[in-house]
Amino acid sequence: MFVVGLGLLYPAHWLFHPWGAPFRPGLVGYWQGEVPFGSGDSRTMVLRLRDEVGGGDEGSEIGGSATVCEAGQSVTYEISGDATNYRGTRFWLNAQPTGAAAGLYLGRLNGAWDGRDGLTVSTSLLRIDPDGAAGFATPDAPPVSFQLGRASEADFTGACDG
């Protein structure tokens, strides 16, 4: 009975979250693109999104991680969020940097998925000061929009190697 229940859990979940189904291109997966952090400062970003089965009222529907590459170093983010419509063509993601030092960081990511191989994302950059004060959008870094395209696991793991 337990095995039958598990066998029905995932297909039922994908009925309500078709953007996470494994049998077609979905919102989940790997993405890559360039994020403008300022004039002459464009940084490579890789993003991995996962369907979090326990989502909805119990937690985020979407989980994952992101890495932004900058001048020989990288910043890693924990990602959590939700699709805002049935098809997953609109979504929001919290980007929580791990081990943040002074600098500019991604804020909340608001996105649109084209249903195939492209994401359009907008965010306000947040500044963390050397004294650790954080979380405020910076007036010198207005909201930015950028495109991410479908990528591979190899792109994700090797993004900051070059």
Side-chain angles (χ1 to χ4, degrees), residues 55-123:
D57 293 339
E58 299 86 34
S60 298
E61 294 177 326
I62 303 169
S65 60
T67 303
V68 176
C69 310
E70 173 193 10
Q73 62 182 356
S74 61
V75 176
T76 302
Y77 296 83
E78 292 180 21
I79 300 295
S80 63
D82 289 310
T84 60
N85 64 9
Y86 170 73
R87 297 252 180 242
T89 58
R90 299 267 183 238
F91 59 91
W92 61 267
L93 303 168
N94 288 320
Q96 181 66 43
T98 59
L104 283 177
Y105 293 88
L106 300 172
R108 177 179 159 143
L109 306 172
N110 295 301
W113 171 48
D114 68 6
R116 294 178 305 282
D117 295 327
L119 301 180
T120 301
V121 179
S122 64
T123 188

Side-chain angles (χ1 to χ4, degrees), residues 6-157:
L6 282 178
L8 296 175
L9 177 67
Y10 284 97
H13 176 77
W14 294 324
L15 284 174
F16 296 104
H17 301 98
W19 48 265
F23 49 82
R24 54 181 274 211
L27 175 60
V28 297
Y30 297 96
W31 303 91
Q32 182 173 359
E34 296 293 317
V35 181
F37 271 71
S39 180
D41 183 4
S42 183
R43 303 177 193 179
T44 298
M45 176 183 177
V46 289
L47 174 66
R48 178 182 181 207
L49 298 178
R50 293 185 316 270
D51 179 6
E52 296 292 317
V53 173
D57 293 339
E58 299 86 34
S60 298
E61 294 177 326
I62 303 169
S65 60
T67 303
V68 176
C69 310
E70 173 193 10
Q73 62 182 356
S74 61
V75 176
T76 302
Y77 296 83
E78 292 180 21
I79 300 295
S80 63
D82 289 310
T84 60
N85 64 9
Y86 170 73
R87 297 252 180 242
T89 58
R90 299 267 183 238
F91 59 91
W92 61 267
L93 303 168
N94 288 320
Q96 181 66 43
T98 59
L104 283 177
Y105 293 88
L106 300 172
R108 177 179 159 143
L109 306 172
N110 295 301
W113 171 48
D114 68 6
R116 294 178 305 282
D117 295 327
L119 301 180
T120 301
V121 179
S122 64
T123 188
S124 292
L125 299 176
L126 306 176
R127 180 175 303 284
I128 295 181
D129 294 329
D131 65 0
F136 299 101
T138 61
D140 59 326
V144 297
S145 292
F146 54 95
Q147 305 290 315
L148 298 175
R150 188 82 56 191
S152 68
E153 184 176 3
D155 294 329
F156 183 79
T157 58

